[in-house]
Amino acid sequence: LVRLVESGGGSVQSGGSLRISCSASGYTISRYCLGWFRQTPGEEREGVAAIDRDGSTSYADSVKGRFTISQDNAKNTLYLQMNSLKPEDTAMYYCAADDFDYCRGAYNYWGQGTQVTVSS
């Protein structure tokens, strides 16, 4: 059974930093395509960052230069380091994983989310 559990969310002031984590069980993350998404009430879920099996990364324009996605295969954990946070980064953040033959930007496993709140 594949399970993803996010942690590390919280409240921070504008300009601050936060690192959220996604602990995986039931599979080895190095074999999966991984991503972070975020969602605010009434809005569609937005892709934030992704990391492919070869380690290549991609980011939404809104977070480029501020957020960094990474993974620790020994800990089977995915991270999102968020710097220079802005109030508009406030959202529920979700990690996701996919085991398709290639990284397609779609995910079939999701965590329950962790809330990030940035105050001005």
Side-chain angles (χ1 to χ4, degrees):
L1 177 65
V2 174
R3 187 165 180 242
L4 303 173
V5 179
E6 298 95 336
S7 62
S11 297
V12 63
Q13 288 193 329
S14 181
S17 298
L18 205 60
R19 188 179 78 162
I20 55 178
S21 304
C22 175
S23 179
S25 61
Y27 73 101
T28 302
I29 63 170
S30 61
R31 299 179 182 176
Y32 281 64
C33 307
L34 304 166
W36 284 100
F37 289 75
R38 65 187 181 187
Q39 189 172 24
T40 55
E43 300 292 329
E44 290 189 0
R45 191 171 292 182
E46 172 193 22
V48 175
I51 185 165
D52 289 354
R53 292 185 180 95
D54 62 0
S56 59
T57 58
S58 59
Y59 298 91
D61 288 342
S62 58
V63 306
K64 276 182 184 176
R66 300 189 297 122
F67 290 13
T68 303
I69 187 172
S70 63
Q71 63 188 89
D72 185 331
N73 292 335
K75 295 182 178 180
N76 223 34
T77 300
L78 177 70
Y79 300 101
L80 185 67
Q81 177 67 45
M82 303 180 289
N83 299 328
S84 301
L85 282 161
K86 305 175 181 180
E88 51 263 44
D89 295 318
T90 295
M92 184 71 79
Y93 284 72
Y94 300 88
C95 64
D98 187 63
D99 57 357
F100 200 65
D101 291 345
Y102 58 88
C103 293
R104 53 184 174 164
Y107 300 85
N108 51 11
Y109 302 106
W110 293 85
Q112 85 291 344
T114 186
Q115 177 68 36
V116 172
T117 303
V118 184
S119 58
S120 58

